[in-house]
Amino acid sequence: QVQLVESGGGSVQTGGFLRLSCVASGYTHNRYCIGWFRQAPGKERVAVAAIDYDGSTSYADSVKGRFTVSRDDAKNTLYLQMNNLKPEDTAMYYCATDAAGGAWSMVHSPYRSPDVWGQGTLVTVSS
């Protein structure tokens, strides 16, 4: 059974930084796409960034240049380095995996949904 466990959330001020982590367990291989989504209070959950098993990445326009997604398959861990945080980045952040899709489709396609979700980690950015 695949499980995803996020950590690293917290409270920071505008302009600050955080690094989120997501440990994936239960996979017998690394040929899956994994990424980050976020859901702000009262809003829909949206994709933030994703990385495929070959290292290809995709980002939402709102975080390009500020967030960096990476993965360490030896540790079964996904990371999201978030710099220059803004109040509008405040949200619950979830990691998710898609065994069949790629990074671009995870972030941009309305026709694909991840297979597995983590429980989320909260990020709060104050002005």
Side-chain angles (χ1 to χ4, degrees), residues 48 58-67 86 108:
V48 175
S58 188
Y59 295 89
D61 289 343
S62 59
V63 305
K64 278 182 181 177
R66 300 187 299 122
F67 291 11
K86 304 175 181 181
H108 300 291

Side-chain angles (χ1 to χ4, degrees), residues 35-60:
W36 293 97
F37 290 71
R38 67 186 181 188
Q39 186 168 20
K43 295 187 177 181
E44 293 185 351
R45 187 158 52 186
V46 296
V48 175
I51 182 167
D52 212 340
Y53 67 90
D54 62 0
S56 58
T57 59
S58 188
Y59 295 89

Side-chain angles (χ1 to χ4, degrees), residues 2 4 27 29-35 51-53 71 96-103 105-106 112-116:
V2 174
L4 305 174
Y27 279 105
H29 59 84
N30 70 333
R31 296 179 71 88
Y32 54 85
C33 180
I34 186 166
I51 182 167
D52 212 340
Y53 67 90
R71 61 191 286 174
T97 58
D98 184 345
S105 63
M106 178 174 274
R112 289 207 61 84
S113 295
D115 309 309
V116 182

Side-chain angles (χ1 to χ4, degrees), residues 8 14 17 22 29 36 45 65 68 83 97-98 104 107 117 125:
T14 297
F17 62 91
C22 171
H29 59 84
W36 293 97
R45 187 158 52 186
T68 302
N83 297 329
T97 58
D98 184 345
W104 186 91
V107 174
W117 293 90
V125 185

